[in-house]
Amino acid sequence: MVPARSRRNERGAQAVRFVVIPESKTCWIWELRSAQDFLVLRSPASFTAKFQAVAQIEALKRAIHVAGVYDLVGARVDQPEQRIAS
């Protein structure tokens, strides 16, 4: 097993990544780790099989890909035409 801190992408910089972790012989969780190996997000539940954790990661990646960015009042802030220069 390669230590998380030594993994690098093609450009040589560390990347944000999902990590699947065995909690016990029958339980798995996933974590989203930053480039500096800090915990960003952890699965809300554990899974009885590794493939279930991986399937949730894939579903989350699909959902994040299409998710918009909003401010606290509900205005979308990731659309270029809606950004206000300050």
Side-chain angles (χ1 to χ4, degrees):
M1 182 173 181
V2 178
R5 292 179 190 262
S6 68
R7 294 182 189 157
R8 306 232 179 234
N9 65 18
E10 299 101 36
R11 294 184 183 106
Q14 291 179 333
V16 176
R17 67 200 170 282
F18 284 95
V19 182
V20 180
I21 304 165
E23 281 194 311
S24 68
K25 291 182 180 181
T26 59
C27 289
W28 295 84
I29 63 166
W30 58 259
E31 292 180 348
L32 179 61
R33 292 268 169 181
S34 71
Q36 295 78 28
D37 203 34
F38 295 114
L39 177 64
V40 176
L41 184 65
R42 179 175 283 161
S43 58
S46 59
F47 304 90
T48 56
K50 186 177 182 179
F51 80 88
Q52 293 170 321
V54 173
Q56 188 181 56
I57 291 168
E58 293 299 326
L60 184 60
K61 286 169 60 177
R62 284 190 301 275
I64 289 172
H65 178 70
V66 297
V69 180
Y70 298 85
D71 64 14
L72 291 175
V73 296
R76 191 152 185 178
V77 295
D78 63 337
Q79 299 291 330
E81 64 275 1
Q82 294 179 0
R83 293 187 190 141
I84 299 172
S86 50

